[in-house]
Amino acid sequence: MFLRELTASVDHIKGVGPVAVRALAQGGITSVARLLCHYPRDWEDRSRNIPLREFSRAPVCTVVRVLTHEWFGYGSTKTLKVLVADETDRAVLVCFNRPFLEKQLVLGKHYRLWGHFSYKYGDIQSTAFEIEALDTQGEEHTGKKSAFGHILPVYPLSAGLTQGMLRRFIHQALEQYAAPLEDELPQEFIQRDNLLPKSQAISAIHFPGSLESLEQARTTLIYEELFYLEVMVGKRALERKHMRGEAAHIPLTPHSFSPLQTRLLERLSFRLTPGQTEAITEINRDMDGPYPMARLLQGDVGSGKTLVSFLVGIRAIEAGGQAAIMAPTELLARQHAENAARLLEPLGIRPAFLTGNLKATGRSHLLKNLAAGEIDMVVGTHALFSRDVTYKNLRFVVVDEQHRFGVVQRQAIMAKGDHPHLLMMSATPIPRTLALTLFGDMDRSIIRDLPPGRLVIKTHLARESNEAKVYDFVARELAVGRQAYFVYPLIEADENRDVRLKDAQSMADRLSREVFPQYPTALIHAKLDEEEKRKTMEDFRNGEIKILVATSVVEVGVDVPNATCMVIEHAERFGLSTLHQLRGRVGRGPAQSYCFLVYSEELTEDSKIRLKVMLENSDGFVIAEEDFKLRGPGQIAGIEQSGYLTLGIADPTRDAACLTQARTDTFAMLEADPGLLFPEHRCVAQVLTRASPFSAVGP
Ligand code: ADP
Ligand code: MG
């Protein structure tokens, strides 16, 4: 039996009654396996006494007496504060959402206290603590200590669950189920890395006998998760390599470009950057290969990915196929379509633009041409894979700003052809470790350089009260013929908010009337209809509009090289990747560009760090790594949608070395034994067959 096969309901565990079953279910725990994979978020080592006075050194673990109860706040935010003392110091327990502690913590009585403390508002205090009754002499209740050992798990809790319940249930579940569990890792790796057998690892992760065995259990389970993640990735890579591809059959010139590619290059007023050339060379090589390409093209904002996608797309067209370029917003799709028309029509290529807003007659005409093969390249939004869209011979798919699309959408467009080549592009640079996890089955090209002559965008922070200075600066840029963006977190004023935020609508009004009356200003946001957005963008691009007031709709892709100022107000409200994307809207021409991050007075620690990162870095990869550190892998755009990254204990950034090891191991294993038929790989084959639907964590 594998752990992930323990699908029995939690009520099979002794002591788990109907109330507990419901509480567990609310926290998403229904099966025994789920319960056992509910890993502790921390462990308290009760063998070591850490008094209050030493709170900054380690989590406190001490015996305290309750001195006073006090309440602060009103109504639903009313919160209990309990003052406690041990022999060394006093501390405040802030009992957020735990009003019931008033009854449990009796004045004058002794309790064992465990928690992380910090010094705030003149007190040593904690909001995350565990507390447990002792009898009057300060002795612990008997029994508990011996049953659970001296290192106790501290679990993430959800409504209706307490540490005590989870400890009891999991302890009992281990008694009933742990012993016969089979190993899911091949023995060679268990022995090589001195890992624990599965049954011991799962017991020790919850109730370790020592800190050493806890460490060993953690290493084992982390490696196991990453191992299976990479097995999945490796298998997908193998499957792709067994699909029959259709080579391009278009010979390349000595400079590694096809004839049509060469003609397009000759029409450009600039030369490709080395990064662009290399990416195209790699893609060309893939297209000559025996199986369909799947490649992720990464490059910072403004590195010229669109042109790369056109250049490689036309090679598929040259070979008699069709290419589809999919973008997440109509605004961006239209921009690509206009560029395609401008650059490719003169070469005899027939491009088209398809969105959900196309009128019925135009649409049916377009669809007919597409099905008949009279359109070579179609650019559009998710409309590209609507049910009624058929292609004659879709050979090349480009997914721009791929992090905006989910796996399902990607599969839907791919299904329109017979194993077309896939090029995914992202300007949100993905940290290396994450790329290995999410896109480990794809090849990667990275454009590291920007077109020559681009200057680093000068970034300035400004307090809201200094906005006038920022406006003055922008006025000087406008006076020499440049254009500017102003970005706000809200479309319109929101009366229901306690903090008043500037919104795009009111600010468009104010900027055009009071601040820059002499310059044409326009407003753009997601609620406007497409025709209005199109017109506004066109006017901004051709310079009739000088100031574009927007929400983050201008975040992706928009390319207007004459715009040199990006003013982001309430910058503290935006995430790092959005800020980086927004800043990337300027600095797209030869002129010096500027980005102003205007922030409100009250900043959280996180927003301070974000602004500082923006101020000190221009490299999108560095910013992405920082973002990743701040937010953790779970929240990076696109990961929730990736469909298979569900990790329970591993963290690809923190455990990067382990991830790399797991990748090496699994890929070597699959290379030697693609069918997993060797006896030593039997457990892997069995996990894959017996435990579907598969997830890296388990059931
Ligand atoms: P991104 O990689 O962010 O999608 P774009 O494809 O929008 O970048 O390109 C940004 C701008 O740079 C466009 O105006 C494009 O025409 C221009 N560009 C692309 N490649 C080069 C190059 N090699 N030299 C100069 N300008 C270039
Ligand atoms: Mg782009």
Side-chain angles (χ1 to χ4, degrees), residues 64 66 84 93 101 105 111-114 129-133:
V64 293
V66 174
V84 297
L93 308 178
L101 286 179
L105 301 180
Y111 297 85
R112 175 160 283 278
L113 170 70
W114 184 88
F129 55 87
E130 289 298 312
I131 194 152
E132 194 172 274

Side-chain angles (χ1 to χ4, degrees), residues 310-445:
F310 287 175
L311 276 159
V312 293
I314 60 178
R315 180 133 189 259
I317 294 169
E318 201 169 14
Q322 290 170 306
I325 300 187
M326 185 159 78
T329 65
E330 183 150 344
L331 213 63
L332 186 56
R334 183 184 311 277
Q335 181 179 285
H336 288 342
E338 284 165 3
N339 282 329
R342 181 170 56 86
L343 291 169
L344 305 181
E345 263 171 5
L347 302 177
I349 291 168
R350 297 158 299 180
F353 176 48
L354 177 60
T355 75
N357 285 308
L358 211 59
K359 299 274 175 323
T361 45
R363 181 184 171 86
S364 65
H365 185 68
L366 195 159
L367 294 189
K368 213 159 62 209
N369 285 340
L370 195 58
E374 276 152 32
I375 288 170
D376 304 309
M377 177 183 281
V378 60
V379 184
T381 56
H382 49 271
L384 292 182
F385 56 81
S386 306
R387 206 140 41 99
D388 56 344
V389 179
T390 48
Y391 296 77
K392 176 133 189 279
N393 181 17
L394 178 62
R395 297 240 39 85
F396 202 95
V397 170
V398 178
V399 181
D400 192 15
E401 306 291 346
Q402 60 78 24
H403 60 285
R404 297 292 195 98
F405 293 97
V407 236
V408 178
Q409 294 165 309
R410 198 184 314 146
Q411 279 161 358
I413 179 75
M414 292 297 281
K416 295 288 181 183
D418 177 22
H419 302 307
H421 298 295
L422 170 65
L423 180 68
M424 303 218 286
M425 307 202 291
S426 186
T428 301
I430 301 149
R432 200 188 74 89
T433 47
L434 193 58
L436 278 184
T437 345
L438 285 179
F439 305 104
D441 57 332
M442 306 189 76
D443 298 305
R444 281 210 298 164
S445 294

Side-chain angles (χ1 to χ4, degrees), residues 246 277 379 544 646:
E246 198 175 291
T277 306
V379 184
E544 272 165 49
T646 33

Side-chain angles (χ1 to χ4, degrees), residues 122-336:
D123 290 317
I124 301 173
Q125 58 164 271
S126 176
T127 52
F129 55 87
E130 289 298 312
I131 194 152
E132 194 172 274
L134 302 179
D135 66 26
T136 38
Q137 275 85 51
E139 290 301 317
E140 284 199 55
H141 284 308
T142 45
K144 280 196 176 164
K145 211 171 168 177
S146 54
F148 293 154
H150 65 270
I151 303 175
L152 281 189
V154 180
Y155 293 104
L157 294 179
S158 54
L161 293 174
T162 63
Q163 295 297 346
M165 286 163 81
L166 282 170
R167 285 174 191 161
R168 265 185 288 122
F169 299 159
I170 292 175
H171 197 262
Q172 180 59 37
L174 288 167
E175 298 264 295
Q176 285 173 239
Y177 296 98
L181 286 179
E182 285 174 69
D183 286 333
E184 296 176 32
L185 286 171
Q187 292 306 318
E188 64 174 301
F189 301 122
I190 296 186
Q191 274 153 25
R192 180 193 67 188
D193 294 344
N194 192 23
L195 304 176
L196 292 175
K198 181 70 182 229
S199 61
Q200 285 178 32
I202 197 70
S203 299
I205 198 74
H206 293 287
F207 299 100
S210 66
L211 291 176
E212 293 70 44
S213 69
L214 170 59
E215 204 38 50
Q216 225 182 342
R218 267 172 50 87
T219 314
T220 305
L221 295 174
I222 288 171
Y223 177 77
E224 187 192 279
E225 254 179 30
L226 295 173
F227 181 90
Y228 275 96
L229 188 73
E230 290 300 324
V231 165
M232 300 304 286
V233 167
K235 276 183 71 75
R236 274 203 310 230
L238 269 181
E239 274 159 24
R240 178 162 59 86
K241 299 199 167 160
H242 284 119
M243 288 187 306
R244 185 183 43 85
E246 198 175 291
H249 301 311
I250 299 292
L252 302 176
T253 65
H255 301 290
S256 317
F257 296 115
S258 73
L260 200 56
Q261 288 176 330
T262 310
R263 279 175 57 207
L264 175 52
L265 288 173
E266 282 164 3
R267 293 181 43 83
L268 296 175
S269 58
F270 48 75
R271 297 162 66 100
L272 294 180
T273 62
Q276 285 173 314
T277 306
E278 197 181 318
I280 294 165
T281 311
E282 285 167 347
I283 296 166
N284 273 340
R285 207 182 302 135
D286 282 1
M287 291 171 76
D288 288 334
Y291 47 83
M293 171 179 84
R295 192 172 274 277
L296 177 67
L297 175 61
Q298 288 187 267
D300 213 339
V301 279
S303 58
K305 295 184 292 297
T306 317
L307 182 62
V308 171
S309 73
F310 287 175
L311 276 159
V312 293
I314 60 178
R315 180 133 189 259
I317 294 169
E318 201 169 14
Q322 290 170 306
I325 300 187
M326 185 159 78
T329 65
E330 183 150 344
L331 213 63
L332 186 56
R334 183 184 311 277
Q335 181 179 285
H336 288 342

Side-chain angles (χ1 to χ4, degrees), residues 451-468:
R454 298 270 175 86
L455 300 170
V456 173
I457 301 163
K458 291 195 172 151
T459 302
H460 299 282
L461 292 185
R463 271 177 200 280
E464 201 174 350
S465 50
N466 282 340
E467 58 177 23

